[in-house]
Amino acid sequence: MSMGKKSIESFISIYVLCFLGVFLNAATLATPKPTTPFPLYTKSRWIVDGSGQRVKLACINWASHLDAMVAEGLSHQPMDAISKKIVAMGFNCVRLTWPTFLAVNDTMASYTVRQSFLSNGLSRFIPSLQANNPSLVELPLMKAFQEVVSNLGENSLMVILDNHVSKPTWCCSDNDGNGFFGDRYFNPDLWLKGLTKMTTMFKGVKNVVGMSLRNELRGPRQNPNDWYRYMQQGAEAVHAANPDALVILSGLSYALDLSFLQAKQVSLNFTGKLVFEAHRYAFSGGRLTWRDGNPNEICGKLVNTMKETSLFLLEQGWPLFASEFGLNLGDGDVNGYRFFNCYLAIAAEYDFDWALWALAGSYYRRYDVIGLEETYGVLTWNWSDVRNPSFMKRLSVIQLPLQDPGLSKSSSHQVVFHPLTGLCISRATKNEPQLKLGPCADSGAWSYNATQHALMLIDGLTSPSCLEAPDGLNQPVKLGLDCSNNRSQWVPISDSQMHLSTKLHDGSLGCLDVDPESNAILTTACKCLSRDHKCDPASQWFKVISNTARSPRTT
């Protein structure tokens, strides 16, 4: 059953239209008032505010590290309009990139925005930049960067300053001279000087909540010993310059690998500020892995790989910031969408902090192409509209916390999440036996008993109701009161562990699925359990996830 069916699309479209309505009216919204008591701290695996309440970073990457060293998109839209679009899309923070040379090369930093565009052969953008952001054109580059940060703060958006590269350029390759300490453009002393200068400059700017020390360390020089040596120096330098800032450390191999920390953790002279970051894309394991392999197997491997390389940090009590992930948001990216179906389930289950790549609809110049479109960008080429509203609706599930350490375990419950749609299993009303997909906030409280394999709905009923299989395939599931019978047993199977299977009355094996006509939850033959790479199991992927941060619906 393909999710291309018009019924499921029409079901989701109601929520998409609501999202679009908010976005299109963003320019008229009043500037939101700050509510977070800054600065931020770490408390075990969580990032918290000054009152001890969890703050989940749900960020978008805004590039400002390319040739012009000016935040992308300012020739297309006013700076404040872009900030308001970010807010309207549900993000609460921006990972704003910068190159080391901006901080340490006084000649570059003294260029005005106009001079930078002229010297980089980008003069065609100056008239539109003048029209959309006239106050920036004659400012020095560093002052223009500060103005962007300030405007984000005026819109109550937190900022992570990310040292993306040394020499301004697109990132990344093994041999671009920006990859690791000692590379052609990566002088460790200049890097430390740049970190110190940027951290000092933004000390006291409350919405600048963290400093990311370096993006995607990589290349033939990379090794753990030098990583410990220099990253610890960088962390101490940032903390000395601004004790309020979160200090964010990435790993090796393009920020994919932090596994070496299992044997030896960093040694620092401060506590309560350290965060680790990791990246992941569909192409991280090979360009066409997801398209050419069985999605269940690939997803299972991804989970295991992430446990070994980054997720273990959460169990050790360290915050993990997934500071880059994303996909081609146009049509036809089978590789990317299969990856995202799996990754979204992982992000929901572990509820880590994150930053999506990318905000940009286009770049001033990338790969020597003027005005190159960014198909990973959430905005269209001219930065005016949402590129893919359905994707943004799915993403909204993880924009708010699903888990909160400040709430008692008595408020803990679970939801049954469907990554393909970003929705959860729910019923229309308290007395409605029919189960359908609906907003996760309205799904009610579920509890999965791993011993009995029973999936129970516990939202205010006298006794729990259990999800019960029908008599045969292609029939709707229902709620029953006997949680001990075989028809109420749902066992996760397949390498992805996202097929919820049960044995039917006739002895056949069925899996939860979504009816493409009514959006009802039913049982169909389990699919894609074999090595068939042409099969897509996404409609049958469900994830039971913990939810302590949101009150369940009880009516």
Side-chain angles (χ1 to χ4, degrees), residues 390-419:
S390 295
F391 171 82
M392 291 305 304
K393 189 60 192 177
R394 292 174 65 189
L395 190 70
S396 67
V397 175
I398 60 171
Q399 286 181 317
L400 295 175
L402 289 161
Q403 301 175 44
D404 191 324
L407 299 179
S408 66
K409 292 184 178 180
S410 62
S411 63
S412 175
H413 63 284
Q414 294 171 305
V415 295
V416 188
F417 179 53
H418 190 242

Side-chain angles (χ1 to χ4, degrees), residues 500-542:
L500 293 179
S501 68
T502 189
K503 281 193 175 182
L504 302 176
H505 183 70
D506 60 6
S508 61
L509 187 68
C511 283
L512 282 186
D513 208 330
V514 182
D515 188 310
E517 302 301 328
S518 66
N519 302 303
I521 306 301
L522 71 166
T523 305
T524 63
C526 300
K527 58 185 180 182
C528 310
L529 302 183
S530 69
R531 298 183 180 275
D532 182 7
H533 71 277
K534 296 181 180 179
C535 184
D536 189 349
S539 71
Q540 288 188 341
W541 277 0
F542 291 86

Side-chain angles (χ1 to χ4, degrees), residues 294-306:
N294 178 271
N296 277 310
E297 295 176 358
I298 305 302
C299 185
K301 290 178 181 178
L302 175 60
V303 173
N304 290 334
T305 297
M306 289 181 64

Side-chain angles (χ1 to χ4, degrees), residues 31-52:
T31 301
K33 296 180 180 180
T35 57
T36 302
F38 295 124
L40 301 183
Y41 304 86
T42 64
K43 181 181 180 182
S44 183
R45 60 148 292 185
W46 312 103
I47 295 172
V48 298
D49 64 19
S51 66

